[in-house]
Amino acid sequence: MHNRAHAALTKVPEVTLIFWVIKIAATTLGETGGDAVSMSMNLGYLVGTAIFAALFLTMVVMQIVARRFHPFLYWATIIASTTVGTTLADFATRDLGIGYEGGSLLLLGLLLGSLGVWKLSLGTVSFRTIATPRAELFYWVTIMFSQTLGTALGDWTAESQAWGFGGAAILFIALLAVVLALYRWTRVSRTTIFWSAFILTRPLGAAVGDLLDKPLSEGGLALSRYGATGALLALIIACVLLVPQRPARQAH
C-alpha cells in the first residue's frame, strides 16, 4: 500500500499560489544573478552561459537520480535554468547579433519543438506525469527553453518596443491575469494553462530584474545586482521553509 502511494507522486511540486510566488522570485533572481556574473563580474555572456549550463546540467542529473521530491533541489534546478536562460538569451540576441526579435523567434521554435517531441514521445506534456527519467528530461529541457525565451521576450518588450521595464512588467502581469481568467472561467486545457503561465512568468521576472538593477539612465533603480540576488534568494528559501511543498500526484 505504501509503495503504491509513493508511486502515485511525482518529483515536481503541486501547483499552488506559493508555486507561482517562488517561480516569479526565481525568474527575477535569474535576471539579476545572470547579469551579476556576465556583467558585474565582466565574464561576458558566453562564459556566464558555460558556468550556468554546467550548474543546470548538474542539478538536472541530481533531480533525475533522486528517488523522491526534494523541494530545495527542485527550486535550485529552476534557479539554475533561469540563470542559464538569462545569459544564453543575452548571448544569442547580443553577441550573435540576431537581435531580440530573431532571438525570440528562434527560442520560440525550440520551445515548441521540445513540447512537440515530448507530446509525440509520451502522449502528454502534463506536469503531473513527471515521474520517470524520460519525462523529467523532457520537462527540464522544455523549462530551459521557456526560461531562455522569456528572457528574450522580456528584454525585447522593455527595450526594443519602448515599454520600459515597468511597462513591460505591467504588460506581462496583465497577460498572466488573462491566463488566470481562462483557468477560472473556461475549460481550456489545464496543461495549456500551466505552460502559458510558466512561460509568461519568465519575461515578467526579466522585466522586474532589469527594473531593479539597471542604471537610472536606462529606467532602472540601479540597485546592487548582488544585493538584489541575495534578497531574492532569501525570499525563496523562506517560502520553501515556511510553506509546505507537496509533490504533485500523477495523472491517471
Side-chain angles (χ1 to χ4, degrees):
M1 183 69 175
H2 177 270
N3 289 337
R4 287 198 297 271
H6 181 73
L9 300 177
T10 69
K11 288 196 287 180
V12 301
E14 191 65 73
V15 177
T16 60
L17 176 60
I18 196 63
F19 174 92
W20 295 114
V21 170
I22 300 175
K23 171 61 165 60
I24 293 171
T27 58
T28 307
L29 184 154
E31 192 71 20
T32 58
D35 287 349
V37 170
S38 62
M39 300 170 71
S40 295
M41 293 183 183
N42 295 315
L43 294 179
Y45 300 126
L46 182 58
V47 173
T49 298
I51 292 171
F52 290 126
L55 179 62
F56 174 61
L57 290 173
T58 300
M59 293 292 101
V60 168
V61 170
M62 291 175 65
Q63 177 76 12
I64 291 175
V65 170
R67 293 182 177 273
R68 60 185 179 84
F69 170 63
H70 296 280
F72 279 108
L73 176 58
Y74 176 84
W75 287 112
T77 311
I78 288 290
I79 290 171
S81 74
T82 195
T83 48
V84 72
T86 295
T87 54
L88 181 58
D90 287 341
F91 176 73
T93 57
R94 298 172 186 177
D95 286 3
L96 293 184
I98 60 178
Y100 292 127
E101 183 175 0
S104 296
L105 291 173
L106 171 63
L107 292 163
L108 177 61
L110 291 172
L111 174 61
L112 294 177
S114 176
L115 286 168
V117 172
W118 183 1
K119 175 74 172 179
L120 288 173
S121 299
L122 300 183
T124 179
V125 295
S126 171
F127 73 93
R128 290 188 177 277
T129 62
I130 313 304
T132 66
R134 194 177 182 192
E136 283 189 271
L137 186 59
F138 278 121
Y139 178 78
W140 289 112
V141 168
T142 301
I143 280 179
M144 191 272 288
F145 284 142
S146 78
Q147 306 282 42
T148 309
L149 170 63
T151 300
L153 282 176
D155 290 346
W156 182 30
T157 303
E159 299 180 35
S160 295
Q161 302 303 308
W163 280 79
F165 304 123
I170 292 171
L171 171 64
F172 290 113
I173 289 172
L175 291 174
L176 284 167
V178 172
V179 174
L180 176 60
L182 291 173
Y183 172 77
R184 295 198 62 175
W185 294 303
T186 74
R187 295 187 178 182
V188 173
S189 162
R190 284 348 190 200
T191 298
T192 300
I193 292 289
F194 171 80
W195 284 112
S196 297
F198 199 97
I199 292 166
L200 286 171
T201 53
R202 182 61 187 99
L204 172 60
V208 174
D210 283 339
L211 177 64
L212 293 175
D213 68 22
K214 291 298 185 183
L216 295 173
S217 60
E218 296 179 17
L221 299 176
L223 300 179
S224 164
R225 292 187 178 108
Y226 303 115
T229 300
L232 289 163
L233 181 59
L235 173 62
I236 292 169
I237 292 172
C239 287
V240 174
L241 286 174
L242 297 175
V243 182
Q245 297 280 298
R246 298 182 177 87
R249 292 194 172 275
Q250 289 185 39
H252 296 288

